[in-house]
Amino acid sequence: MLPQALPATPVHPIRQFHPRYSATAILILFLLFSSDCRASATNQFINLTIYHSGGTPVKMVTADFNRDGKADVVVVNSNNVLSLLLGNGNGTFAASKTIATLPANSAGFPALMVAGDFNGDGNQDVVLVRSPGNLVKIFLGHGDGTFSPPFSVGDGLSSAGDLATGDFNGDGRPDIVVASRTSVAVLFGKSGGTFSTPVVTATNLSAASHLALALGDVNRDSHLDLAATDMNGSMQVLLGTGTGSFQRKSVFTSDNPVPPTVLAIGDFNGDGHPDIAAGMNANLENYFLGQVCLLSGYGDGTFNFNSPSCYYAPDSFGEMRVASLNGKPDVVFSSQPMMVQLNNGSGVLTPSNYAAGSGAMILGDFNGDGRQDIVAGTTGGVQVLVNLGNGVFRAPPSIARVGDPFNVVYTINTTDFNRDGYGDLALLNAWDEHSFLITSVATLLGGAKNTLTMSSRVGLPVDTSGPFSAGPPAIGDFNHDGNLDIAIAMTGDLIVNGNGSSPSSAYAQVLFGDGKGHFPTAGPTLDLTTNFFAAGDYNRDGKADLASIDGTSFQILIGKGDGTFATAVTYGVGASPVFVLQRDLNGDGKTDLLVVNRDSNDVSILLGKGDGTFQPQKTFAAGKAPVGAVTGDFNRDGKIDIAVASSEGMSVLLGNGDGTFQPQSIHTSTGAMTGIAQGVLRQDGNASLIGIDSASKRFVLLPGLGNGTFGAPVFYPMDRVPTAIVAGDFNHDGATDIALVGKPSYFQGDGGLVVFYNQGGDSVALTSSVSNPVANQSVTFTAKVTATYGETGTPTGTITFKDGTRILGSVSLSGGTAKITTQFAAGTHKILAQYGGNSTFNPNQSTTLTVVVGP
């Protein structure tokens, strides 16, 4: 979860709708967890299951359609299939059932749908309005998840583009209201599922397509009222009379560059008077960000239109709903990413972004815990975002913008810049100024409670009017001051130093760090044509050097310790080198290099001599069109292995320990891979592989088995197409997390970051009361379990203490701690504490404690 605090600074009248934001964005990410997703060998990250709906949802409603006490969902899909997903009551759904296949929908507006018991038989029904919108189609429910064939009634309008349900005459039976370009019509529900003759009220609005409505009792007279917008800058309040007609209040018109497209009603500031939330999409040409503005109500049907409180909304969204996620009226947007604006009770909203869904959405209690959850539509079905309490959802957090709201992220790298033990992120960003991309470098510092805080953003003197190519920021100490620096390389149709005065095809720059995550000093620019740097100390002088590729050649630049480099030396590698990493591959203490060659389908290994020079390459086949690689000890033999991402999948080359490698083993089950990371995700010590495919909205985990082989792939859906991935422990809980970059796309939200925090992060610490015991001496072992962030309370459950394979005993936790006292015979003993977890906390185990017992 990632809130960006927006201070309570007075804003201008609604015609301006300026959002509030802080100069220093604090991006807070919560590790989200629920009992149905405990740490295991195959599920280390939040995996939002897609429940197939027979198509891609465009509209959804929820009710208990089979009367089993569990919330169900009816979906209208883009292929015109109307389907039902019966809830299991635990946040999951049974396989969808087709209710009907609707006639093709003509252009004009998406499907409109509401649910309710319209015939008074105790069963939930469904009402649909489709283009041209002059008919209401009713599906009467049988109470068992099935429906009668539909029948239609006229809605009194030539066309309708919005639909809602409520009790407009106080008879306890749901009615419906529809809206056209200029009018609203109320149809009172009658027994048998029919409706009365529509009561039509003309507004003083005239919309290009249709009016958008919000329902609520704004003047507290017990009659349901309406707020309407023509989506062209004008709004009007219609006070209900209890007869289906309305008293029209004066129209308010604003000249805001982006008018409200959706309204909602709720008491957001807690004064007992209903307020209006007005949602607006972004407009790039006018540098107008998506917003939600709260218009305070006076309790008599009038509102303060002149001084609203405005907050960021998604750049582009379809629906905006009022929710009660933490006991106060909150606002939820269906968007990419999904945004939840949590209310503090006085009308101050704090946003949280989640990488889930991208289309229709509904709110309801889908796991029976009394809290509102979210069902979000996505390609092919729906996903469930479980409310963990206080408005925090079990879903991967998303950072839609880093620094300036118009930024998108292009490349990423990770290290610990400020040496606090938390993994940090270095990003290359671009800001779109009317077709010109202005580049910058930003750093996000990892921290406790899953926080990522932007510590630095440095503008680069580089603009481009078209696509550019850049590798991840290279990280090393280039000026030999003990602090990590950054080197950036990019190619394309570039303009350096602004004003079109310095057209160039390449740009390379060193930025000096201060050891705190800031880069206050610009180092020298480098006269190179390159789009990829890798940093390392190749001559062991303590000064960072660079390996450079430009798509055709590979070069080494030895650092002088002041941010400058000696003349580049070229080495032969394969065809079209695209990726470089450095590692001691043969165990001689000297840095070696691995170069990925896309067009020759191999990797080049250049063994370092320790003086800044390298032996001629040795090549090893590595899939087709490889693009990236990682190293690790995948079979735990103490020798470095290689894994490569390619169009064939993931290739694993086990190392022989001398810089040579065994023939590749290709894992094609992952599909084509365009990026790769590795990490020890569980406390079993086995390295796993994580890959991305830039043609799909997902990433894949290959769980390592510790013998050079891997388990079945586990696919994790995302709300965007990933283009880059890094692994690191960003919350310092001892478990590897991953951060992904979405494909850059302005005003779609998918060009930002998504962080998947590892759920295996419950720490199990094991200590001994005696450091050097003797035979038959009593020794007490203490195991302390510390919950990972996102888990509330103190861990409970059982600790099993082992001496090798022999079980010493099982002890229940008390205050998160368990102790056992025992005696040993002389010799070496391997003590382990295993935590079994429970429905709330993740299972895990300690590191092995070696105890040498004397005679």
Side-chain angles (χ1 to χ4, degrees), residues 272-608:
H273 305 323
D275 312 309
I276 293 177
M280 291 143 282
N281 287 284
N283 182 291
L284 176 60
E285 294 301 319
N286 291 286
Y287 292 108
F288 186 88
L289 299 171
Q291 299 179 28
V292 55
C293 292
L294 304 182
L295 315 177
S296 299
Y298 296 118
D300 59 358
T302 63
F303 296 84
N304 181 2
F305 292 105
N306 295 316
S307 57
S309 299
C310 295
Y311 303 88
Y312 283 135
D315 295 336
S316 178
F317 60 88
E319 298 177 336
M320 181 183 74
R321 296 183 182 274
V322 177
S324 181
L325 307 176
N326 58 354
K328 308 172 185 69
D330 310 303
V331 182
V332 182
F333 295 89
S334 65
S335 55
Q336 185 182 352
M338 174 173 287
M339 179 179 282
V340 176
Q341 286 274 10
L342 291 178
N343 187 357
N344 71 347
S346 60
V348 176
L349 304 181
T350 302
S352 306
N353 292 325
Y354 296 96
S358 59
M361 70 170 181
I362 49 171
L363 302 168
D365 180 9
F366 298 102
N367 62 350
D369 63 358
R371 295 190 288 259
Q372 273 192 326
D373 311 308
I374 300 174
V375 167
T378 189
T379 303
V382 302
Q383 297 172 314
V384 182
L385 284 72
V386 174
N387 186 346
L388 303 180
N390 297 320
V392 176
F393 287 87
R394 181 187 169 271
S398 172
I399 306 175
R401 297 287 182 260
V402 179
D404 191 284
F406 292 88
N407 273 330
V408 295
V409 180
Y410 274 78
T411 63
I412 185 172
N413 206 345
T414 183
T415 192
D416 182 6
F417 285 111
N418 57 353
R419 299 184 288 268
D420 63 354
Y422 295 90
D424 308 319
L425 295 172
L427 314 171
L428 176 62
N429 302 322
W431 182 74
D432 187 355
E433 185 184 11
H434 295 157
S435 301
F436 280 92
L437 301 181
I438 301 174
T439 58
S440 64
V441 173
T443 49
L444 299 179
L445 300 181
K449 299 183 180 179
N450 293 12
T451 59
L452 281 174
T453 304
M454 193 183 78
S455 67
S456 173
R457 178 169 172 258
V458 180
L460 300 176
V462 183
D463 305 342
T464 175
S465 60
F468 65 91
S469 177
I475 300 169
D477 182 5
F478 299 113
N479 60 353
H480 200 44
D481 65 352
N483 300 321
L484 291 174
D485 312 312
I486 286 176
I488 296 292
M490 64 182 74
T491 58
D493 184 13
L494 309 179
I495 299 174
V496 181
N497 296 321
N499 301 319
S501 59
S502 303
S504 175
S505 61
Y507 173 79
Q509 172 79 56
V510 175
L511 302 173
F512 294 137
D514 64 358
K516 300 178 182 179
H518 308 117
F519 297 87
T521 305
T525 57
L526 307 179
D527 187 16
L528 290 171
T529 300
T530 179
N531 56 25
F532 193 103
F533 279 147
D537 184 4
Y538 306 137
N539 59 354
R540 298 188 291 184
D541 64 354
K543 305 167 186 175
D545 311 310
L546 286 173
S548 170
I549 54 178
D550 61 7
T552 59
S553 63
F554 170 76
Q555 297 176 319
I556 296 295
L557 295 86
I558 299 299
K560 296 180 180 180
D562 59 358
T564 64
F565 299 84
T567 302
V569 178
T570 300
Y571 287 82
V573 293
S576 300
V578 294
F579 185 87
V580 183
L581 62 80
Q582 58 94 16
R583 184 74 184 268
D584 180 5
L585 300 174
N586 59 356
D588 65 355
K590 304 168 185 175
T591 300
D592 310 311
L593 292 169
L594 181 154
V595 181
V596 177
N597 307 304
R598 185 187 59 213
D599 291 349
S600 54
N601 303 319
D602 56 21
V603 295
S604 297
I605 303 299
L606 294 88
L607 297 180

Side-chain angles (χ1 to χ4, degrees), residues 63-68 115-126 138-148 174 193:
D64 182 7
F65 293 105
N66 61 351
R67 302 186 68 170
D68 64 353
D117 179 12
F118 296 104
N119 61 352
D121 65 353
N123 301 323
Q124 292 293 314
D125 313 312
V126 173
I138 300 104
F139 290 80
L140 294 179
H142 296 145
D144 59 359
T146 64
F147 297 83
S148 298

